[in-house]
Amino acid sequence: MKEKFSKLIDVKSIVTLSMTVGLLALLFCPVEPPKEILALFCTSYGSIMTYYYTRKDGDGK
């Protein structure tokens, strides 16, 4: 059980860091991406972060 939890933390950390770096790159890079791409990425970022940080343990049903 401890091993599964450590794998979950690793995946959650990797996804969180990579999505945050991607969002910062989109927001602060001098090139302006299409608004649709930015909106899609921001929506994905919000939904992934909400999923990871509001999910309760034991939701395997």
Side-chain angles (χ1 to χ4, degrees):
M1 184 68 173
K2 192 175 187 178
E3 184 178 313
K4 288 183 182 181
F5 187 68
S6 67
K7 286 181 183 180
L8 175 64
I9 289 175
D10 291 339
V11 171
K12 188 190 308 185
S13 299
I14 291 169
V15 170
T16 301
L17 290 174
S18 64
M19 293 288 288
T20 302
V21 168
L23 182 62
L24 290 173
L26 279 174
L27 290 174
F28 294 114
C29 79
V31 178
E32 192 166 326
K35 292 184 185 207
E36 294 84 12
I37 300 296
L38 188 60
L40 181 63
F41 188 82
C42 289
T43 304
S44 301
Y45 182 83
S47 62
I48 289 171
M49 295 305 135
T50 301
Y51 172 75
Y52 275 139
Y53 292 106
T54 61
R55 191 177 75 178
K56 295 180 182 175
D57 292 336
D59 283 349
K61 294 180 183 179

